[in-house]
Each structure stands twice: as C-alpha cells, then as structure tokens.
Amino acid sequence: MSATNDREPVTVIGLGPMGRAMAAAMMRAGHPVTVWNRTPGRADGLVAQGATRAASPAAAVAGGELIVLSLTDYPAMYDILGPVAGLLAGKTLVNLSSDTPDASREAAQWAAKHGAAFVTGGVMVPAPAVGGPGAYVFYSGPQDVFALHEPALKVIGEPKYLGADPGLAQLFYQAHLDVFLTALSSLLHATALVTAAGVPAAEFLPGALDTLTGIPTMIGDGLELARELEAGEHPGDLSTALMMGATADHILRTSTQAGVDIELPTAVKSHYDRAIAAGHGTRNWTALYEVIKAGG
C-alpha cells in the first residue's frame, strides 16, 4: 500500500458484467485495481476510470496480494492461473465464480499446494446492484484470511461469512439460486399458460409477482418451517399433500391441453405423487421434503 492510499490493492480477473461491476466498485472505494481479461477490450472502460490493465495473468497476479476471480466456472481459474501457479505463493484467491461445493474444496487444496490462501464466495445480486444497498455475498474459507481482506470485500456487498469449509459459500449460493431459478421458470411457464388462451401477459404478470412476494406471509419467516422440517412434523391441518397434489394434477392437465411445455408441472406433480405413495397424503404439503431430501 502506498503512503497516500491505505486501501488494499486488488486484482480482478474476469471482466464480464459482474467482474466489471466489482472492479468499478473497488475503484470508487479508493482501492488500486489491476484488471485482466482474455478479451482485453473488456477492460477499456475500467482503464479509462483509473484501473491498471495487466498485460498477462502473470502481471495480474503481481498486482497485489488479493486476487478476485469472476469467471464462468472453476475450470477457467485453472486455465488462467495454472500456467503461472508458481507465482501464487503468498497470494489470496477469492473465487466468486459459480461452480459446485466440491469444486470449491478441490480448488482450495490446489491453491494451498501452490502456497496461496483460498476463499470461496457467491455474489447474491445482479451486476448492476453490486456495491449498492442490499447487496450481499456469501463467503467461506479460513476465517483469519477472510477477516484480513474483509474491508476490501465489503465494497462488493455485505459479507456473510459461513465458516471454514470452502464449500459452504457455493452450497448456499446454489441453494438460493435453486429457489430463484425455479421461481423464474415457474413465472415464465405460468405466463405461457395464460397467453396460450389469448390473455395478454400484462394482464397476468403483476398479479403473479404478488403471489411470489406473498409467499412469506403464507408460510412465515422460515424459522418455524425449518423447525418442522428438521423434526419431521407435517400436521396436515391446512394444505395436505393430497389436496395440493390434486392441484398439481390440474396444472399438468391444463398445461397439456394448452400445448405448453409440461416438464416443470410434471416434475412438481411427481413430488406429490411420491409423497402420497409413501403414505404422506393426509400430512401437510411440507411432507414432500421426506421424498425430496437425500435418502428420501
């Protein structure tokens, strides 16, 4: 760090929309930023704002102790840093790319073999929201390493540290996106269902979004639901698997008759069918958890 700037230097490798947003946020916060991307032109806007363009991965690694990766997946990290792995000793890699928890654990071992510390992260907002209100990021890995670089990482979004296991951040990231992606698919499927009947999408989507945002009111803040799932309690005094399963069947039949894709409603109905077959028909819809969970 220079005498005139006590902000930690940061290298950002990978300049898709997310990488560019993170690098820009770091610069706004006063961090000296070095950037590298396979397609050099993606760095032009950042360089115009004051970032240093690295001519090679080796030069990028030399830009500072903290190296933030924003890539398509973890194999891209090996492709880029593998040839310069001998330069990684003493560096901290913070990989904010998407992959599996096991890929994160394997990457941590790879980094350690080359003398580098490794922290996994998952950014839980789209690129335009990086560095803004409500932005947050899951992290896992060595707590002392995370704490050392937390002031710089806070610039991206509120850090949520989960523990030493490097796979935890990816686990939470993928689990949250499981909810998100399924909801997006359901929204598009439902829109296709009504537009197949000649109803304009604009007459449907605002109300559908109200249904999504109203789910917490229906099921609570998640704490009681978590307790019931962990305890295997599914009282069945309101929405039973049989009742909800009948609705799932009606959605599938309506989709079939409308000629829209039936993969999603078929999958949902299969959960109810299997729960009912397992004897959970008169229990709450949450009994689906018993056939969905590992070993179920």
Side-chain angles (χ1 to χ4, degrees):
M1 301 178 191
S2 70
T4 58
N5 186 358
D6 62 357
R7 301 287 184 178
E8 179 178 21
V10 180
T11 289
V12 178
I13 294 178
L15 300 176
M18 186 64 73
R20 292 197 301 272
M22 293 190 292
M26 290 286 186
M27 285 192 291
R28 288 195 300 270
H31 290 271
V33 174
T34 298
V35 294
W36 184 86
N37 192 76
R38 282 184 172 125
T39 304
R42 286 190 176 179
D44 291 349
L46 295 168
V47 171
Q49 297 171 48
T52 298
R53 188 199 311 267
S56 66
V61 169
E65 179 186 340
L66 178 59
I67 301 169
V68 175
L69 302 164
S70 180
L71 304 166
T72 303
D73 52 26
Y74 274 41
M77 177 186 72
Y78 300 124
D79 291 343
I80 294 166
L81 297 182
V84 297
L87 304 176
L88 295 179
K91 306 292 183 177
T92 295
L93 305 179
V94 178
N95 199 330
L96 300 180
S97 313
S98 175
D99 215 301
T100 67
D102 282 347
S104 297
R105 297 180 182 108
E106 292 165 4
Q109 294 174 357
W110 178 84
K113 184 174 69 174
H114 296 290
F118 189 85
V119 174
T120 305
V123 183
M124 298 309 300
V125 292
V130 165
Y136 66 102
V137 185
F138 291 124
Y139 291 100
S140 62
Q143 186 169 16
D144 57 339
V145 176
F146 167 75
L148 177 65
H149 299 290
E150 185 177 5
L153 298 175
K154 276 183 177 179
V155 171
I156 300 171
E158 179 189 356
K160 294 182 180 290
Y161 178 73
L162 300 173
D165 176 359
L168 284 174
Q170 279 297 322
L171 178 63
F172 270 63
Y173 178 74
Q174 302 302 346
H176 277 255
L177 289 182
D178 184 7
V179 175
F180 181 64
L181 294 183
T182 305
L184 292 184
S185 287
S186 71
L187 194 63
L188 295 178
H189 184 274
T191 302
L193 199 61
V194 298
T195 57
V199 179
E203 293 184 14
F204 167 74
L205 279 168
L209 291 175
D210 287 341
T211 297
L212 280 178
T213 57
I215 289 176
T217 301
M218 302 176 201
I219 67 173
D221 62 6
L223 294 178
E224 178 61 18
L225 176 58
R227 188 197 66 77
E228 291 177 350
L229 293 179
E230 290 174 352
E233 297 177 4
H234 312 287
D237 51 349
L238 290 174
S239 303
T240 66
L242 277 168
M243 183 182 75
M244 298 284 271
T247 299
D249 178 63
H250 299 156
I251 294 169
L252 176 57
R253 287 161 53 193
T254 302
S255 300
T256 301
Q257 293 162 4
V260 303
D261 186 85
I262 63 169
E263 293 292 331
L264 182 60
T266 297
V268 173
K269 182 176 180 296
S270 77
H271 290 156
Y272 287 96
D273 289 346
R274 286 184 281 134
I276 293 166
H280 302 301
T282 58
R283 305 179 80 190
N284 197 47
W285 65 271
T286 55
L288 269 63
Y289 185 66
E290 303 302 328
V291 298
I292 292 173
K293 67 182 181 181

